[in-house]
Amino acid sequence: MQLLVSDIFRNAAVAVPDRLAYAVGDQGWTFRELDLISEQAARCLLDRGVRPGDHVAYRADLSLATVALFIATAKIGAVFAPIDPALSQGEAADLERLVGSDLSLSLDRSGVERLLAEASALGGVEQVPDDGMDERAAHVLFFTSGSTGAPKGIPVSHRVSMLRSHPGAQPESRGPALCPFPLFHMAAWTIALQQWQARAAVILPETFQADAICAGIAAYRAERIYCIPAIWRRVMDHVDEMRAKGAPLPDLSSIRFADTGTSATPPTLIEGLKDLLPQAQVRIFYGSTEAGPVTCLEGSALTERAGSCGLPMQGVRLRISEAGELQIRGPSVFEPESMSADAGFTADGWLRTGDLAEIDADGFVAITGRAKEVIRSGGHSVSPTEVEGVLATLPGVRDVAVVGLPDPDWGETVCAAVVAELGQAPPDLASIREGCAARLAAFKHPRRMVLVDQIPRTASTQQVRRGALVAQILEERDA
C-alpha cells in the first residue's frame, strides 16, 4: 500500500466530514470542505498544465488558500514549493531558479485567489486519479540554507511526510493544536500533518504576536502548541504584563503539551513554562528540515539533563563522526535521490547535520556547536557571506564581517562588525538595517552592530576568523 498525503484528507472527509480541520483566526474549513476545495483546485491546476513532478511555487502566507494549494498539489502528484513571503522579489526569484525547468507555475496571492474562485465554481468534481503516484516522489520542496549557507531545496516525499507525522496505529483524540509557524516552514506542515492524520484541527493565529496566540488558544481550547523560545518569551511577557495591569489573564488551561526547540532552550525558560502552564507537559525537540523530528527531552530529564536535547525519536539512529559531527539515519530523513541537488550525505548514507554534538552513555544528545558558519536565528538560517555582500556596498563601510552572537531567545543574533571608512562618519545600526531593507529579508538584518579597528582574517586566504571575532566582541561586551 502506498503512503500518500492525499489519502489523509479523502479518508477524513468520509470518517469525520463535519469536524474542523483548519482555521486561521475565526475562519475555518471542515475536513469535508477542505477535501472538496483541494479536489476542485487540483482540477484547475491540471487545466493549467500542471502535471505529476511539476513544481508549483507560492509565497506562502497565513491563509486558508495556502493549505488548499498544498493539498491540491499532493493530489495530482505535483510538488508544492512554499516561499517565505518576507523575501524580496530577487531572493524569491533565486529560489525559483533552483527548481529550474521543473517549475510549472508560480503564483502570488491574487493568482491563488483567482485559482480558488475558479475551483469553487466547479461544484462537485470526481476524485483526481492517483493510481500512478509513487509514495517516494516528492510532494513538497522546502527551501533552506542548511549547514552551508547557500540556499538549497529539500524535497520531502509522500512517504517521509507520512512517517514523520504518523500518530500511531489508532487515531486517538488529540484536540486542536495551535501552530505559530509560518507556512513556508517545515515545522508548520509537520505539525499540521500530525494533526490531520489524527483527524484533529490545526489553528493558526492571525499574527504571531502573543495576544493573538493566547486568543487562539482560548477560542479553540487548543491542547497542543509548539513555540520557539523567542515566541514563548513573548507569551510569558504578555501574561506578566496583563497580570501587572490587573487585567483578566488569557485562559491557557486547555494546553496539555507545551513544546519548544529549534534554538537553545535555557533552563529558565523551562521553569517559566512550568509556571505559566502547570497543567501541561513540557518537551524540547531537536530536528531539521532534512531529518524531521530527531530527539526529544521530556519529564524529569528536563532538569536532570539540562543542556541536552534528549533521546532519539522512534526509528532514528544517530552517530558522531570523527570530527564530532552529528549524523542521522532513519525513515524520517528526506530521500536525496528524488532531486539531483547536493544532499549532504556521507558515502555510506548518513545525513550530515552540520551540528557538533556529544552523546552520553545513556544516549542523551547535546549539541555543542556548528560545523559550518551559518547563523541559526529563531529557526531561520542566515549566511554571513550573503549579508556581508550587502553591507560592503553601504556608505561608510570600509570592511565588514557578520557573525552570530549567542542569544537566549533566538539561539543566535546577527551581528555586523564594521570597520568605518576613513574620513567618513561611521554608520550606525539604523542605517545598516535601512540599507538591507530592499535587498534582504528582515530576519537577515543585523540586530547588533559594533565598530572595530580591523577584522581578524587568515594570513593566506584572508577569510574571516569568525570564532576569534565572536570572542573579541563578547570580551569587549563583558569587560
Side-chain angles (χ1 to χ4, degrees):
M1 176 183 174
Q2 299 263 36
L3 296 177
L4 300 176
V5 168
S6 53
D7 285 339
I8 296 173
F9 307 97
R10 288 169 173 158
N11 293 341
V14 174
V16 290
D18 298 322
R19 186 179 294 176
L20 181 66
Y22 185 75
V24 179
D26 59 0
Q27 295 184 317
W29 280 328
T30 65
F31 278 102
R32 179 181 6 228
E33 292 168 333
L34 188 54
D35 184 55
L36 175 59
I37 189 62
S38 61
E39 204 75 55
Q40 293 166 328
R43 288 287 175 182
C44 288
L45 289 174
L46 290 171
D47 290 343
R48 296 188 182 198
V50 179
R51 294 294 180 262
D54 287 350
H55 289 61
V56 176
Y58 179 55
R59 304 190 79 167
D61 56 357
L62 296 176
S63 68
L64 297 173
T66 302
V67 174
L69 189 60
F70 170 84
I71 302 169
T73 51
K75 285 184 172 181
I76 64 175
V79 183
F80 181 53
I83 294 175
D84 183 352
L87 296 180
S88 69
Q89 291 292 342
E91 291 170 311
D94 288 342
L95 296 185
E96 291 185 0
R97 278 193 285 271
L98 288 177
V99 180
S101 59
D102 290 332
L103 182 63
S104 172
L105 192 63
S106 179
L107 295 168
D108 57 16
R109 180 60 186 271
S110 61
V112 169
E113 290 175 348
R114 287 195 300 270
L115 178 78
L116 293 187
E118 294 172 16
S120 60
L122 294 177
V125 293
E126 293 184 4
Q127 176 179 313
V128 174
D130 61 3
D131 294 343
M133 288 180 59
D134 182 357
E135 65 176 7
R136 294 190 179 275
H139 83 99
V140 63
L141 181 71
F142 293 113
F143 295 106
T144 175
S145 296
S147 60
T148 65
K152 61 182 178 179
I154 303 299
V156 179
S157 69
H158 289 261
R159 177 180 175 82
V160 167
S161 277
M162 295 288 279
L163 292 176
R164 284 185 183 184
S165 58
H166 198 273
Q170 299 296 323
E172 73 280 359
S173 174
R174 289 170 64 92
L178 191 124
C179 178
F181 279 89
L183 293 180
F184 63 86
H185 200 290
M186 180 275 297
W189 295 109
T190 300
I191 292 168
L193 287 169
Q194 287 171 344
Q195 288 295 105
W196 290 331
Q197 286 217 61
R199 297 169 180 171
V202 182
I203 312 301
L204 259 73
E206 293 180 311
T207 73
F208 296 139
Q209 297 304 311
D211 56 347
I213 290 172
C214 291
I217 293 172
Y220 290 94
R221 303 299 295 161
E223 297 184 12
R224 297 167 182 264
I225 181 172
Y226 183 128
C227 295
I228 65 172
I231 298 294
W232 275 125
R233 289 286 186 195
R234 290 182 192 173
V235 172
M236 288 188 283
D237 289 346
H238 173 68
V239 172
D240 287 344
E241 182 180 342
M242 299 296 286
R243 183 180 291 111
K245 292 179 178 178
L249 300 183
D251 182 2
L252 309 180
S253 62
S254 60
I255 294 295
R256 295 167 49 220
F257 293 94
D259 299 331
T260 191
T262 304
S263 56
T265 307
T268 53
L269 179 67
I270 298 301
E271 293 306 312
L273 282 176
K274 290 179 178 179
D275 290 340
L276 178 69
L277 304 167
Q279 77 285 356
Q281 180 177 344
V282 178
R283 302 179 295 185
I284 297 174
F285 287 91
Y286 163 77
S288 69
T289 302
E290 294 88 341
V294 175
T295 65
C296 177
L297 187 71
E298 58 186 334
S300 61
L302 287 168
T303 52
E304 295 170 359
R305 306 277 183 165
S308 168
C309 57
L311 295 169
M313 303 285 286
Q314 186 174 6
V316 173
R317 297 178 63 190
L318 305 177
R319 74 180 186 187
I320 305 294
S321 72
E322 291 184 1
E325 181 186 43
L326 181 67
Q327 299 177 350
I328 304 172
R329 292 188 76 171
S332 65
V333 175
F334 89 105
E335 299 168 307
E337 63 269 20
S338 59
M339 195 169 184
S340 60
D342 176 21
F345 283 77
T346 64
D348 57 348
W350 290 71
L351 176 69
R352 301 184 58 188
T353 65
D355 287 323
L356 302 176
E358 297 174 350
I359 302 177
D360 68 18
D362 296 321
F364 284 84
V365 180
I367 305 299
T368 59
R370 291 290 297 164
K372 301 285 185 177
E373 294 179 338
V374 69
I375 299 168
R376 290 290 182 90
S377 182
H380 290 287
S381 298
V382 180
S383 168
T385 54
E386 180 187 20
V387 182
E388 287 164 359
V390 173
L391 300 186
T393 67
L394 301 182
V397 176
R398 183 178 184 183
D399 195 8
V400 64
V402 171
V403 294
L405 299 183
D407 186 279
D409 291 332
W410 297 96
E412 292 180 291
T413 189
V414 180
C415 175
V418 174
V419 179
E421 191 68 60
L422 297 176
Q424 295 187 27
D428 57 17
L429 181 60
S431 63
I432 288 286
R433 289 175 64 86
E434 183 178 356
C436 294
R439 300 171 63 183
L440 294 172
F443 65 81
K444 300 177 185 178
H445 297 184
R447 293 177 179 270
R448 185 176 173 192
M449 193 208 80
V450 295
L451 291 172
V452 296
D453 293 329
Q454 64 179 12
I455 304 295
R457 297 181 180 273
T458 58
S460 57
T461 63
Q462 289 296 294
Q463 292 178 313
V464 178
R465 295 172 54 215
R466 299 190 195 278
L469 180 56
V470 169
Q472 174 186 324
I473 293 171
L474 295 178
E475 182 178 352
E476 291 176 359
R477 182 193 69 181
D478 296 335

